[in-house]
Amino acid sequence: DIQMTQSPSTLSASVGDRVTITCRASQSIRSSLAWYQQKSGKAPKLLIYKASTLESGVPSRFSGSGSGTEFTLTISSLQPDDLATYYCQQYYSYSRTFGQGTKVEIK
Amino acid sequence: EVYLMESGGGSVQPGGSRRLSCAASGFTFSNYEMNWVRQTPGKGLEWVANISSSGDNTHYGDSVKGRFSISRDNAKTSLFLQMNSLRGDDTGVYYCASGRENGAYFHLWGQGTVVTVSS
C-alpha cells in the first residue's frame, strides 16, 4: 500500500494566521490526492480533490497544491470554524489510503 | 435532501457477524460507485471496500479481504456490508461514502454507525 504521512500531527495557530499542512506519499501519486476536514463527532467532509481543485461550497481560504510525492493544504486566514482534524487521501492506487491526520487548534 | 444514512451497528463478540446497511436519498444512487470507510482507534481512517455502480465489481482492503462482503440494491438505493469473523481491531465507526471519478475520492458521507467487537 502507498503510505501517506502528514505533518505536523497537531498545530496551534491564531485566528487570521496562515496555516500549512504537509502530506507526503511513499511513491509518486501524480495529482491523485484529496483533502478532508473532520470536526469532532462528525463524518469527514471533502475539501479538495485532484490535489488543488476546491470542492463546491468550500470557502476560498482553503487551497491545495503539489504533485508527485509532496502536497500541501493551506488555510490563508484561519477562522474559528476551522477547528478540526484534516486528512489527506491518495487515490492513485485502488487501495485508497489516508494520512494519520493533522489536528488544528485555535490559540 | 441528499444524504446517506447507516444503520446496523452495535456490539458483537469476537468471531461473530454483523450486517451494516446504508440508505441513500436525493441523488441517482445507481450512477455512483459506493464505499465503506471505517475509523478505528488503531489505524485512523481506513478504506474498507468498494462496489461499482452496477454492483458487478468489488474491491476490498487487505485487512478485511475474505471476511467482509459489500453489496448493493440499486432499486432500493441501499448499500450493505456483511462482516464475518469479526475481530477486536474491527471496532470503530463505519461510514458509507459515495465516490466520484470511479470511486476515487469520497464526496458524500453518512453520519457513521459504531461497531464494537468485544467479549
Side-chain angles (χ1 to χ4, degrees):
Chain A
D1 287 357
I2 298 174
Q3 305 303 315
M4 306 301 293
T5 304
Q6 290 181 232
S7 60
S9 296
T10 306
L11 72 85
S12 183
S14 300
V15 172
D17 282 354
R18 183 180 182 88
V19 166
T20 298
I21 298 168
T22 298
C23 176
R24 290 186 173 87
S26 59
Q27 66 180 74
S28 176
I29 58 169
R30 300 175 72 172
S31 295
S32 301
L33 186 97
W35 288 98
Y36 301 87
Q37 176 193 65
Q38 186 177 32
K39 296 184 177 180
S40 181
K42 301 293 187 180
K45 172 189 171 184
L46 177 66
L47 297 177
I48 286 168
Y49 58 95
K50 287 183 190 174
S52 61
T53 303
L54 199 66
E55 174 71 350
S56 175
V58 173
S60 59
R61 64 180 179 274
F62 291 93
S63 64
S65 65
S67 67
T69 61
E70 187 153 337
F71 303 85
T72 59
L73 173 71
T74 300
I75 308 173
S76 60
S77 177
L78 189 68
Q79 299 301 305
D81 189 51
D82 301 336
L83 171 69
T85 301
Y86 294 83
Y87 296 91
C88 60
Q89 176 237 326
Q90 66 80 20
Y91 50 92
Y92 182 80
S93 158
Y94 215 104
S95 184
R96 321 302 189 197
T97 47
F98 292 84
Q100 82 281 11
T102 295
K103 186 174 183 180
V104 173
E105 299 174 342
I106 310 293
K107 278 184 187 174
Chain B
E1 183 187 0
V2 176
Y3 69 80
L4 297 168
M5 184 176 294
E6 303 91 342
S7 59
S11 294
V12 59
Q13 292 193 334
S17 298
R18 200 83 182 179
R19 180 174 167 89
L20 305 183
S21 299
C22 172
S25 181
F27 65 102
T28 308
F29 180 75
S30 58
N31 284 355
Y32 290 92
E33 297 204 7
M34 295 298 296
N35 302 266
W36 287 97
V37 178
R38 68 185 180 184
Q39 190 161 29
T40 66
K43 288 190 173 182
L45 284 169
E46 181 185 13
W47 168 77
V48 171
N50 165 277
I51 187 166
S52 64
S53 55
S54 66
D56 289 346
N57 293 299
T58 58
H59 296 85
Y60 297 92
D62 288 343
S63 60
V64 307
K65 205 171 290 183
R67 300 188 298 125
F68 289 13
S69 177
I70 187 172
S71 61
R72 67 190 295 162
D73 184 335
N74 284 344
K76 296 184 178 178
T77 64
S78 294
L79 177 73
F80 306 99
L81 185 68
Q82 178 66 44
M83 304 185 294
N84 299 327
S85 303
L86 283 162
R87 313 185 301 222
D89 60 359
D90 294 318
T91 294
V93 181
Y94 284 72
Y95 297 100
C96 63
S98 58
R100 288 213 296 255
E101 295 189 24
N102 297 320
Y105 55 88
F106 315 120
H107 69 285
L108 180 64
W109 297 65
Q111 86 289 351
T113 189
V114 178
V115 175
T116 303
V117 183
S118 174
S119 54

